[in-house]
Amino acid sequence: MSLNEKFKFSERNTTLGTEIIAGITTFVTMSYIVIVNPSVLNKAGMDFNGVFIATILAAVIGTLIMGLVANYPIAIAPGLGMNAYFAFVIVLGMGIPWQSALGSVFIASVVFLLLSLTSFREALIDAIPTSLKAGISAGIGLFIAFIGMQNAHLVAPSPATIITLGNFSEPVAYMTLLGLFITIVLLVNEVPAAIFLGMVITAVVSFLMGFIPLPSAVFSMPTGLENTFMQMDLADAFSPNLFAIIFTFFLVTLFDTTGTMIGVASQAGLMKNGKFPNVRSALMADAVASTCGSLLGTSPTSAYVESGSGVAAGGRTGFTSVVVAVLFCFMLFLAPIAQVLAAVPAVTSPALIVVGFLMMGSLNQIDWHNVEESLPAFFVLFWMPLSYSITNGVGAGLISYPLIKIFRGKFRQVHPLLYIFMVLFIIQFIMMNH
């Protein structure tokens, strides 16, 4: 079978050359994750090199399945937001070992994998109102932007006001501001790979100013995976205090992945009568990648909205994804450079802040004039960053939405699954306080 027949180049009005360019474009725009993800999970005590390799392998597995089986120009990799939740909330905030957190990721991924084979997935997506889905996405955006600002010392703890403006005379703060400014200039001028190029330029300037040392080498053989591979603790992950965490991993991954896939497929003109063809294979790609990622040693994967840059460059088939996966393989040998860059918050923090901003775009899906819909979304948006927990934000929304509908006499408008979620989160919050 030729490439044209396998990937349907003619049917989708594309060519091999166009698909290669699209794949390169998508890869460059999302390649920041191989630096940012190990940097975030390293703060949770995980080995940098192990997470670096796990990040790349999970991306390669998911993106290859997306390309070869689902035939979509959508790339998969560990998602920003879920890695921050993993490191800062579960491990550092709750004091849960990263091995147990990995076990939670594995369980949630297996559930996601099994449900991707059934119609229950569609029922679950339909059960959650659009306003809450949008609030969850935007809330995660605020959360990771807040973490980026903390890492860069742009905000700092205050005994009087809990948090206040940071000291901009610190090198990490003013170099982050410089990196943020550079990234924003590139972004508003619609420069491809603005986030990645912003990191590179900031790194070069930081090196010239003496803030970044030269790496010990440019290339090296991949090492360190043994420090994270199969290190998950499944026994502890089944403990009652982790049920809400497993549920949050599953829920957020489901909505984030589905929403991104639909958005990119629509941009590429691949939706048919409002339906997503071959959706099970597409969801399977992410579910398998998350499952393998937890075994390898990384947080959940997600479909990347940066795939839209490849679609804008003409990508219409899964060959775009195949090119992305191949390019990720080459990154396996660049660990020394990634480790030096990841050690400098001024290089990675602007990426967190800008991606957080981009995730806020979902707020336009909320009808702010309808209090019944917008108030629960506001609670999600409000509680995530301020309680430093995605779980708390999701729980606040899934409790308040059914309650508001009940007291408005519209309880029949609420899907029965939402009442189950409401009860489960109420139990979870009660248990947290005891």
Side-chain angles (χ1 to χ4, degrees):
M1 182 184 294
S2 67
L3 288 177
N4 183 34
E5 293 172 328
K6 166 67 178 173
F7 294 101
K8 303 179 181 178
F9 290 161
S10 300
E11 182 180 324
R12 298 188 183 180
N13 297 317
T14 186
T15 64
L16 177 62
T18 300
E19 293 296 301
I20 291 174
I21 292 172
I24 294 172
T25 303
T26 295
F27 170 75
V28 172
T29 58
M30 65 179 290
S31 55
Y32 63 85
I33 194 62
V34 301
I35 298 173
V36 177
N37 194 53
S39 172
V40 171
L41 298 189
N42 182 241
K43 290 179 171 61
M46 298 185 70
D47 178 71
F48 181 93
N49 285 332
V51 177
F52 177 77
I53 297 172
T55 299
I56 294 173
L57 292 181
V60 169
I61 292 168
T63 306
L64 273 181
I65 296 174
M66 183 67 75
L68 296 174
V69 180
N71 197 23
Y72 280 110
I74 301 172
I76 303 287
L80 279 180
M82 282 291 92
N83 59 0
Y85 176 59
F86 182 105
F88 297 105
V89 177
I90 300 174
V91 179
L92 298 178
M94 300 174 65
I96 294 170
W98 60 264
Q99 294 89 342
S100 302
L102 274 182
S104 299
V105 174
F106 177 79
I107 296 168
S109 300
V110 170
V111 172
F112 186 32
L113 182 61
L114 295 175
L115 291 182
S116 294
L117 301 172
T118 72
S119 59
F120 181 78
R121 175 194 53 78
E122 286 89 348
L124 186 56
I125 293 173
D126 293 339
I128 309 295
T130 300
S131 58
L132 284 185
K133 295 174 190 173
I136 290 170
S137 178
I140 294 173
L142 274 181
F143 182 50
I144 64 174
F146 183 45
I147 289 172
M149 291 185 179
Q150 283 185 308
N151 291 344
H153 298 184
L154 297 181
V155 294
S158 166
T161 60
I162 301 177
I163 195 163
T164 187
L165 203 62
N167 182 0
F168 290 178
S169 65
E170 293 183 36
V172 64
Y174 63 72
M175 288 306 298
T176 297
L177 289 174
L178 175 64
L180 187 59
F181 176 74
I182 291 169
T183 306
I184 290 172
V185 170
L186 295 171
L187 193 68
V188 298
N189 283 284
E190 300 182 352
V191 176
I195 295 174
F196 178 74
L197 289 177
M199 293 174 69
V200 171
I201 296 171
T202 306
V204 171
V205 175
S206 298
F207 169 73
L208 294 175
M209 296 180 68
F211 297 131
I212 296 181
L214 278 173
S216 56
V218 177
F219 302 101
S220 69
M221 292 301 293
T223 58
L225 186 60
E226 67 276 4
N227 296 318
T228 58
F229 179 62
M230 293 295 290
Q231 296 297 311
M232 60 187 184
D233 185 345
L234 282 178
D236 193 38
F238 277 108
S239 60
N241 63 322
L242 290 185
F243 285 162
I245 291 172
I246 294 170
F247 177 71
T248 301
F249 273 136
F250 168 76
L251 198 66
V252 175
T253 301
L254 176 68
F255 295 147
D256 185 42
T257 296
T258 306
T260 301
M261 286 182 182
I262 291 174
V264 175
S266 298
Q267 181 186 352
L270 300 177
M271 299 288 284
K272 295 182 179 179
N273 300 319
K275 299 293 184 179
F276 193 158
N278 208 14
V279 63
R280 288 189 180 180
S281 295
L283 285 169
M284 186 74 65
D286 186 46
V288 171
S290 275
T291 305
C292 293
S294 63
L295 295 172
L296 293 164
T298 186
S299 48
T301 60
S302 177
Y304 262 61
V305 70
E306 284 84 355
S307 303
S309 64
V311 170
R316 293 294 181 272
T317 77
F319 196 77
T320 294
S321 298
V322 172
V323 173
V324 173
V326 171
L327 292 174
F328 265 116
C329 288
F330 288 114
M331 295 291 287
L332 283 169
F333 304 96
L334 297 175
I337 296 176
Q339 194 157 19
V340 168
L341 297 181
V344 182
V347 173
T348 56
S349 292
L352 292 171
I353 295 168
V354 171
V355 172
F357 155 73
L358 294 174
M359 293 179 72
M360 298 292 291
S362 62
L363 289 178
N364 62 9
Q365 300 174 30
I366 300 173
D367 181 3
W368 292 101
H369 298 290
N370 185 343
V371 178
E372 295 175 26
E373 298 292 327
S374 60
L375 189 58
F378 166 74
F379 286 148
V380 174
L381 194 68
F382 179 82
W383 252 292
M384 274 192 195
L386 294 188
S387 70
Y388 223 75
S389 171
I390 293 174
T391 303
N392 291 346
V394 171
L398 291 178
I399 290 173
S400 59
Y401 186 89
L403 286 178
I404 289 173
K405 291 295 185 180
I406 289 172
F407 287 102
R408 283 283 292 144
K410 300 178 179 180
F411 61 91
R412 290 189 179 87
Q413 295 181 8
V414 180
H415 196 286
L417 281 174
L418 279 192
Y419 289 116
I420 296 174
F421 295 157
M422 178 184 72
V423 172
L424 291 175
F425 268 108
I426 289 174
I427 294 172
Q428 171 67 16
F429 284 138
I430 292 172
M431 290 174 61
M432 284 171 57
N433 292 321
H434 290 82

